[in-house]
Amino acid sequence: MIRDLRSMRSMYSIQTRASGFCLLLLLGYVWAAYVHAQDSYDIVLRGGQVVDGTGSPWYYADVAVQGDRIVAVGQLGAAAAAREIDVSGLVVAPGFIDPHTHAMNGIFEVPNAESALLQGVTTLTEGNDGSSPFPVDEHYRAIESLQISPNWAIFVGQGTIRREVIGEDDREATAEEMARMKQMVREAMQQGALGISTGLFYVPGTFTSTEEIIELSRVATEYGGIYISHMRNEAFALIDSVNETIRIGEEANIPVQMTHHKVIGLQNWGASVDSLRLVDEARARGVDITIDQYPYTASQTGINALVPHWAQEGGREQLLSRLQSQETRPLIKNEVVNLILYDRGGGDPKNVFISRNSWNPAMAGKNLAELTIEADMEPTPENAADVVFDIIRGGGATAVYHAIGPEDVDRIMRHHTTAIGSDGPVDVFGEGAPHPRQYGSFARVLGHFVRERGILTLEEAVRKMSSQSARRLGIHDRGLVTKGYFADIAVFDADEIIDRATFENPHQYSVGIKYVLVNGEIVVEEGRHTGRRPGRILYGPGYSGE
């Protein structure tokens, strides 16, 4: 009897404690709901599929924005907001960061940068391929005065510096010239450059020794910058170029980015197997080397890409003089033919399309084979070389070159160090026949390479387009959907997003981006640019603030 009474008291005690715990738990939920109800935000994105930029699996959550920051991510209940947006069924991701653009071409004419924002890109970086504005602080003041929609940052171009100090001569720098160039890099880093870029494929970068680049890069290292390089060659000498890039990073002790990594020329396709192996081996021994890439099998650059570098020494006038010489013209022509057959020309003049020609706009969209026929010649590489010379004499042109290996594109994209970039300008809508990458790179990855082909998962693609570049470029508090970060956000329909721009009809905006926030302001709403321009200068790690 006594034992039964004790048992009953024990059960009663347990039930009482359990009831008390449940009551406390219920009160906790009520209190949490009350607290959230008292919260007041500027914007709440409700019920989206958050892909936060880390590469981790997606999850459902609300995202709250106050001012220019993300202030809460989670189940926010009845939290009040000045603006609530139902994003159920949509992906909420960090705004995309483009680590390689040529947006100086167009940003002052098109400060809204619709071609970028309508892909979800919220940050553009300029000064690539060794060519940049200088001085950096004057350029930043011009951008701030303009007011643009995306955030903006630049590298200092080694080619720009060398041209200022040495010109376009093929020679080594003197000690005095070297000291002056190093001081220019130092000033640029103090004024907020992200790092130093090279265009070793272009004049005058191509005339620069590896040792000179290492010395200049060491200055950028002192300020926490990176080295980003258009390598010397992406065709027959690709592996030598990768080894040089690795050496620069190793000896200058600087983080390195092989920019727009690709394999050009049919005979070279497949070489990414070796280039990526070299990257992995370098990383294994402590070299901080990464990659970026645009998702296309064609490149775009000046028509001079078909002309040997030695013929371009000294600038345009000397090149024209060599083209008129009975001695040097045949030598140049022979090399142009080889470049059409085995390099940028992809083996046939029909693979080279004129994208922009200021002195003869009618050429835009036509390939070298068509232009050769229009000149009453057979479309052979030899005759196409003569057409190239005519274009150069007229004033030059920009061209699209279809010569990149598609399997290499896939292989490079899968590599864990690869970020996504566009390598594109911000052209005036409807002008010329540009490469479609400026309108479609990021949407193409999400639509074609993720949804249609499964080359990447959605989470990995978003990581490559956001936090990967933020970390590499030294951009803080951006590139993730997390509390405390700047509210640069892209909201898109994963089932709809795709690029529309093609090589035949490039002036088409991507579709599927529903909302874009830059620094907490809505710049794209229901797929349309709002006209707002809240973009900011993102200063590099060496910025002195003076």
Side-chain angles (χ1 to χ4, degrees), residues 48-252:
Q49 180 181 343
V50 175
V51 180
D52 64 9
T54 64
S56 300
W58 65 267
Y59 57 93
Y60 288 118
D62 305 326
V63 178
V65 175
Q66 184 72 34
D68 60 3
R69 299 272 182 164
I70 297 169
V71 292
V73 179
Q75 303 305 317
L76 301 182
R83 175 79 189 275
E84 293 196 16
I85 303 175
D86 182 2
V87 294
S88 56
L90 302 176
V91 172
V92 179
F96 305 140
I97 297 171
D98 194 334
H100 186 128
T101 84
H102 296 281
M104 276 286 291
N105 296 323
I107 193 64
F108 286 93
E109 292 75 31
V110 191
N112 286 352
E114 287 93 342
S115 59
L117 270 300
L118 293 174
Q119 295 181 68
V121 175
T122 55
T123 297
L124 300 176
T125 61
E126 241 288 359
N128 287 284
D129 294 344
S131 179
S132 72
F134 194 89
V136 170
D137 58 352
E138 289 184 10
H139 169 72
Y140 278 160
R141 285 197 295 270
I143 290 292
E144 286 180 324
S145 176
L146 174 68
Q147 296 184 322
I148 63 176
S149 292
N151 299 310
W152 187 265
I154 69 168
F155 301 95
V156 60
Q158 177 266 339
T160 295
I161 288 173
R162 196 174 211 272
R163 182 176 284 109
E164 173 70 21
V165 175
I166 299 174
E168 297 185 328
D169 297 341
D170 184 0
R171 64 173 177 84
E172 293 185 6
T174 66
E176 181 180 352
E177 289 168 339
M178 195 69 204
R180 184 180 169 196
M181 289 191 292
K182 291 170 76 171
Q183 180 58 28
M184 291 174 74
V185 175
R186 186 170 292 108
E187 290 174 4
M189 294 302 298
Q190 292 172 347
Q191 291 170 7
L194 297 173
I196 185 170
S197 80
T198 57
L200 304 183
F201 176 74
Y202 301 109
V203 173
T206 188
F207 301 140
T208 310
S209 69
T210 307
E211 291 73 20
E212 182 178 313
I213 297 165
I214 290 170
E215 284 299 303
L216 294 177
S217 296
R218 283 174 176 156
V219 177
T221 303
E222 296 173 11
Y223 294 90
I226 77 164
Y227 171 74
I228 186 168
S229 180
H230 181 146
M231 300 184 294
R232 289 191 194 273
N233 190 281
E234 296 167 313
F236 60 90
L238 172 66
I239 300 305
D240 289 341
S241 298
V242 173
N243 278 321
E244 180 187 38
T245 305
I246 292 170
R247 178 191 166 193
I248 292 166
E250 203 158 17
E251 295 191 21

